[in-house]
């Protein structure tokens, strides 16, 4: 392989994280006719962002300014989980963008990492109840998450047990080798004694002769020679020259310690048995445990998102949670949406689980924008759920400025922001109940607009453009998700305003609404129900409906559009049903002025 990287990458610079070429100036565009230069101008400018994800609401920062009190209070409650105890349930209140979810996720991440550090089993699960808004879906999602965790833990345990079996195999093989070495050493010693013609003579020369009766030395140590002692030596062979030593003959000691190729010392103590420090006594018990764990894994059945009775889903969730000894913290974001959609049955079941669980313990963290949602809960649920309450106050402009400054240091390249950008974003967001999420969206959108215009610096004008864009995007999203009947009512109001009608009343809206229903063959609601739909549009901020008195002619609502007319009409016409409506001219009834 060549050391010259140019043979591999050419003149392109390669991004070490993604592997994509980032040198756009020297890139080979290939076929000029197929490349129209659509993105060339966009790529030619210098990027403003260093890490745009830091400005998104989903990002959990390593530090949360001005929320240390709330974070510390959560930590003092949840530390019980690290002691193996059940933490108190927590309810977190605060308006949108006050750092509730970010703070709860930050504390949860710290809790899980600390539990791993001290080997304390603790699991945290997050559910967004605005999306998962029924008891069935909440229980099914939780059940499947814990089933997945249980399977992963079973796999880890099986792997550990299989490793233990490998250690047993190695231990048994080692024991067999040791036994064989001992036998071979003994046999080698016997063979050596039988085949060595000088063995006896050597033994007599190396060991002094001792008179059995007197206990005195009679051999070399007393000054005698072999020849002198020949009569008592036992025959002619004893008169030969002394035998060479073991070193001279090249024969090893009978114990085998002088062998150059010796592999095992039979006299060394055997290693500890692999099962000595475990709960198992035999290999069969280990095999049985592996089979038991694999059967447990096969018994877990994932819950489908629809189709089961709720009590069966709860039973599966209960068994999955209680399979292991652990403390479980369930975080329910937008908990008021769950109560609004499906009542308090879910909270009742979750808050009462601990009285039936044997191995695990469950704690609940509820996060809500509605300070009064507990007023609608069953008193038993309210008492068990609201053990601890933490309120997150709105940020003021100075606090928002600190948050934006802290994030911008990571999000943008150096000198990308003019001095007035962060204060302006903070001021706009502070006007809307201190919403940090809105402030971050403003700053991110301002950066995107500046980057699209190939500006090197984000200035005040980009922030004001971002404010208008975000407002329009919000309107588009709200209008796009309206029910068909609400869209028809809104379309009627738009048609009246397009034809110069101001201070529109409910009767005029109802007349146009009926004609629109006839156009698309939709059911016609009563005028009272249309009035309710107008009130809902007013609550969403799409229209402005004010009740005024007409004296003896009674009271009526005067309605005006609160959103850009053309953009809103375009969103309505993007609906396939409303796009078929022909041009409907509004009929304006005669008005009686006071």
């Amino acid at each position: 392989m060549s050391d010259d990287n140019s043979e591999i990458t050419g003149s392109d610079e390669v991004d070490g994280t993604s592997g994509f070429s980032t040198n756009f100036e020297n890139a080979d565009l290939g076929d000029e006719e197929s490349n129209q230069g659509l993105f060339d101008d966009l790529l030619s400018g210098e990027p403003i962002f260093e890490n745009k994800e830091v400005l998104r609401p989903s990002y959990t920062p390593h530090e949360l300014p001005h929320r240390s009190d709330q974070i510390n209070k959560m930590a003092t409650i949840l530390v019980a989980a690290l002691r193996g105890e059940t933490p108190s349930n927590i309810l977190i209140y605060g308006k949108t963008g006050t750092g509730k979810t970010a703070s709860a996720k930050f504390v949860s991440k710290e809790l899980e990492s600390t539990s791993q550090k001290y080997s304390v089993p603790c699991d945290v699960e997050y559910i967004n109840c605005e999306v998962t808004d029924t008891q069935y879906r909440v229980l099914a999602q939780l059940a499947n998450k814990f089933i997945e965790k249980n399977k992963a833990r079973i796999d880890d345990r099986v792997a550990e047990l299989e490793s233990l079996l490998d250690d047993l195999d190695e231990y048994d093989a080692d024991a067999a080798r040791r036994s064989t070495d001992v036998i071979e050493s003994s046999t080698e010693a016997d063979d050596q004694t039988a085949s060595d013609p000088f063995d006896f003579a050597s033994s007599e020369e190396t060991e002094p002769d001792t008179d059995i009766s007197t206990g005195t030395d009679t051999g070399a140590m007393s000054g005698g020679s072999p020849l002198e002692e020949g009569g008592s030596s036992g025959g002619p062979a004893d008169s030969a020259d002394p035998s060479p030593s073991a070193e001279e003959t090249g024969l090893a000691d009978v114990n085998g310690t002088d062998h150059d190729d010796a592999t095992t010392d039979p006299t060394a103590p055997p290693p500890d048995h692999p099962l000595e420090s475990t709960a198992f006594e035999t290999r069969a018990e280990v095999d049985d445990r592996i089979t038991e764990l694999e059967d447990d894994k096969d018994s877990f059945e994932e819950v489908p998102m629809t189709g089961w009775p709720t009590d069966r889903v709860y039973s599966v969730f209960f068994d999955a949670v209680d399979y292991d000894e652990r403390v479980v913290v369930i975080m329910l974001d937008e908990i008021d949406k769950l109560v609004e959609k499906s009542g308090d049955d879910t909270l009742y079941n979750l808050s009462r689980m601990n009285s039936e669980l044997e191995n695990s313990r469950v704690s609940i963290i509820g996060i809500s924008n509605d300070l009064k949602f507990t007023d609608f809960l069953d008193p038993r649920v309210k008492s068990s759920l609201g053990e601890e309450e933490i309120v997150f106050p709105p940020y003021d402009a100075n606090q928002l400025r600190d948050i934006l400054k802290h994030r911008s240091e990571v999000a943008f390249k150096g000198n990308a922001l003019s001095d007035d950008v962060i204060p302006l974003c903070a001021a706009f967001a502070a006007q809307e109940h201190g919403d940090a999420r809105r402030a971050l969206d403003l700053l991110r959108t301002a950066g995107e607009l500046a980057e699209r215009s190939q500006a090197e610096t984000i200035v005040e004008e980009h922030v004001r453009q971002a404010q208008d864009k975000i407002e329009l995007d919000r309107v588009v999203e709200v209008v796009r998700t309206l029910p068909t009947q609400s869209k028809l009512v809104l379309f009627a109001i738009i048609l009246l305003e397009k034809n110069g009608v101001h201070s529109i009343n409910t009767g005029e809206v109802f007349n146009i609404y009926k004609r629109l229903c006839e156009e698309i063959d939709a059911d016609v609601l009563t005028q009272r129900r249309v009035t309710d739909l107008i009130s809902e549009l007013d609550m969403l901020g799409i229209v402005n409906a004010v009740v005024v008195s007409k004296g003896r002619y009674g009271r009526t609502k005067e309605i005006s559009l609160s959103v850009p007319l053309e953009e809103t009409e375009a969103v309505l016409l993007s609906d396939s049903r409303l796009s078929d409506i022909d041009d409907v001219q509004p009929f304006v009834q005669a008005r009686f002025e006071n």
Side-chain angles (χ1 to χ4, degrees), residues 15-297:
D15 184 349
T17 58
S18 63
F20 292 116
S21 171
T22 57
N23 189 348
F24 298 111
E25 295 179 359
N26 299 327
D28 183 10
L29 300 179
D31 187 359
E32 293 291 340
E33 294 182 358
S34 63
N35 189 309
Q36 303 299 318
L38 179 61
F39 295 100
D40 293 344
D41 292 339
L42 298 175
L43 291 173
S44 62
E46 286 294 325
I48 288 178
F49 289 102
E50 186 74 40
N51 183 3
K52 190 188 296 187
E53 297 305 312
V54 174
L55 300 177
R56 296 193 184 277
S58 57
Y59 175 78
T60 302
H62 299 294
E63 182 183 349
L64 288 161
H66 306 292
R67 285 295 177 251
S68 57
D69 291 344
Q70 289 79 8
I71 288 173
N72 289 335
K73 187 172 182 180
M74 271 190 278
T76 56
I77 297 169
L78 294 176
V79 71
L82 299 176
R83 302 190 183 105
E85 304 168 357
T86 308
S88 299
N89 296 325
I90 305 174
L91 280 181
I92 300 174
Y93 298 102
K95 292 183 178 294
T96 301
T98 52
K100 304 183 301 299
T101 302
S103 298
K105 285 185 175 180
F106 174 81
V107 174
S108 300
K109 189 181 295 184
E110 286 287 308
L111 177 65
E112 286 191 312
S113 62
T114 308
S115 70
Q116 293 173 3
K117 177 181 177 181
Y118 293 104
S119 300
V120 179
C122 182
D123 291 330
V124 180
E125 292 300 336
Y126 173 84
I127 300 288
N128 186 346
C129 297
E130 190 168 16
V131 179
T132 311
D133 57 357
T134 65
Q135 179 178 205
Y136 185 102
R137 292 179 180 176
V138 169
L139 294 177
Q141 187 170 332
L142 287 172
N144 289 336
K145 284 186 177 182
F146 282 106
I147 286 173
E148 184 178 346
K149 286 178 178 289
N150 292 341
K151 287 182 176 180
R153 290 182 179 179
I154 288 174
D155 289 339
D156 291 341
R157 291 174 186 172
V158 169
E160 292 174 0
L161 294 176
E162 288 176 344
S163 177
L164 181 60
L165 290 178
D166 292 339
D167 292 342
L168 277 173
D169 291 338
E170 186 176 345
Y171 179 88
D172 292 342
D174 182 64
R177 284 195 302 270
R178 293 173 64 84
S179 176
T180 301
D181 288 343
V182 170
I183 294 173
E184 289 178 352
S185 298
S186 177
T187 303
E188 183 181 348
D190 293 343
D191 292 344
Q192 177 180 322
T193 302
S195 61
D196 188 352
F198 305 104
D199 183 61
F200 292 102
S202 176
S203 298
E204 290 171 1
E205 287 190 357
T206 55
E207 296 183 6
D209 294 331
T210 304
D211 191 312
I212 298 176
S213 62
T214 64
T216 59
D217 291 340
T218 59
M221 293 296 293
S222 61
S225 67
L227 295 175
E228 292 173 350
E229 304 295 332
S232 60
S233 302
D238 296 325
S239 62
D241 291 338
S243 65
S245 66
E247 288 80 359
E248 292 172 344
T249 61
L251 297 174
D253 186 81
V254 293
N255 287 333
T257 55
D258 292 332
H259 279 294
D260 291 337
D261 59 347
T263 57
T264 305
D265 183 2
T267 63
D272 292 338
H273 196 279
L275 298 182
E276 185 173 342
S277 59
T278 69
F280 305 102
E281 296 183 359
T282 64
R283 173 188 291 271
E285 291 183 7
V286 179
D287 289 329
D288 291 343
R289 180 56 179 159
I290 291 177
T291 302
E292 181 182 344
L293 288 171
E294 290 176 344
D295 290 342
D296 286 347
K297 182 178 178 180

Side-chain angles (χ1 to χ4, degrees), residues 421-530:
V421 167
I422 287 179
L424 185 58
C425 289
F428 277 143
Q431 293 173 1
E432 301 185 15
H433 315 295
D435 188 342
R437 190 174 302 173
R438 179 60 176 266
L440 291 170
D441 284 343
L442 266 174
L443 186 57
R444 176 179 52 80
T445 306
E448 291 173 347
L449 292 173
E451 200 170 58
R452 290 169 193 170
S453 63
Q454 298 187 1
E456 296 180 356
T457 306
I458 305 171
V459 296
E460 178 182 338
E461 181 59 29
H462 293 130
V463 177
R464 297 191 181 279
Q465 292 174 7
Q467 171 82 339
D468 296 337
K469 183 178 184 300
I470 288 175
E471 183 63 29
L472 181 59
D473 290 345
R474 185 190 71 83
V475 171
V476 168
E477 184 62 23
V478 170
V479 172
R480 188 181 61 81
T481 56
L482 286 174
T484 301
Q485 291 288 349
S486 296
K487 286 182 178 179
L488 290 170
V489 173
L490 180 57
F491 201 5
I493 297 171
I494 288 175
L495 289 174
L496 287 164
E497 285 219 353
K498 282 182 67 178
N499 285 273
V501 181
H502 303 289
S503 301
I504 306 165
N505 60 48
T506 308
E508 292 167 341
V509 174
F510 183 69
N511 288 334
I512 303 299
Y513 160 78
K514 286 194 299 182
R515 295 172 61 184
L516 294 175
C517 288
E518 293 171 358
E519 285 280 337
I520 66 170
D521 196 22
D523 295 334
V524 179
L525 302 179
T526 63
Q527 185 166 344
R528 184 182 183 85
R529 181 61 186 133
V530 169

Side-chain angles (χ1 to χ4, degrees), residues 279-455:
F280 305 102
E281 296 183 359
T282 64
R283 173 188 291 271
E285 291 183 7
V286 179
D287 289 329
D288 291 343
R289 180 56 179 159
I290 291 177
T291 302
E292 181 182 344
L293 288 171
E294 290 176 344
D295 290 342
D296 286 347
K297 182 178 178 180
D298 293 338
S299 69
F300 288 121
E301 184 179 6
E302 292 192 1
V303 181
M305 293 314 294
T306 57
W308 281 12
T310 305
D311 56 348
R312 182 183 176 188
V313 180
Y314 176 78
S315 177
V316 171
F317 162 65
F318 183 94
D319 293 340
V321 169
D322 208 33
Y323 179 75
D324 259 342
E325 183 178 349
R326 57 190 162 194
V327 176
V328 175
V329 179
I330 299 174
M331 192 187 309
L332 300 174
D333 201 358
E334 306 286 356
I335 191 174
D336 50 298
K337 298 291 194 302
L338 176 63
V339 174
E340 180 183 333
K341 181 75 177 286
S342 58
D344 55 13
D345 291 344
T346 310
L347 302 182
Y348 180 82
N349 289 329
L350 294 177
S351 62
R352 297 287 172 172
M353 283 183 68
N354 289 327
S355 60
E356 302 174 8
L357 291 170
E358 296 180 0
N359 299 319
S360 60
R361 291 291 177 266
V362 173
S363 177
I364 301 171
I365 299 179
I367 304 174
S368 173
N369 298 329
D370 186 358
L371 298 174
K372 297 182 179 180
F373 94 96
T374 54
D375 296 344
F376 305 100
L377 296 178
D378 184 284
R380 295 170 298 173
V381 178
K382 185 176 181 179
S383 63
S384 62
L385 183 64
E387 294 175 329
E388 299 278 356
E389 295 185 353
I390 302 176
V391 178
F392 280 66
Y395 294 109
D396 59 31
N398 292 329
Q399 292 173 335
L400 289 172
R401 192 179 300 124
D402 292 341
I403 293 171
L404 293 179
K405 184 177 180 182
H406 184 262
R407 298 279 188 104
S408 65
E409 292 173 353
V410 183
F412 296 102
K413 293 183 179 294
N415 301 320
L417 297 174
S418 63
D419 294 338
D420 54 355
V421 167
I422 287 179
L424 185 58
C425 289
F428 277 143
Q431 293 173 1
E432 301 185 15
H433 315 295
D435 188 342
R437 190 174 302 173
R438 179 60 176 266
L440 291 170
D441 284 343
L442 266 174
L443 186 57
R444 176 179 52 80
T445 306
E448 291 173 347
L449 292 173
E451 200 170 58
R452 290 169 193 170
S453 63
Q454 298 187 1

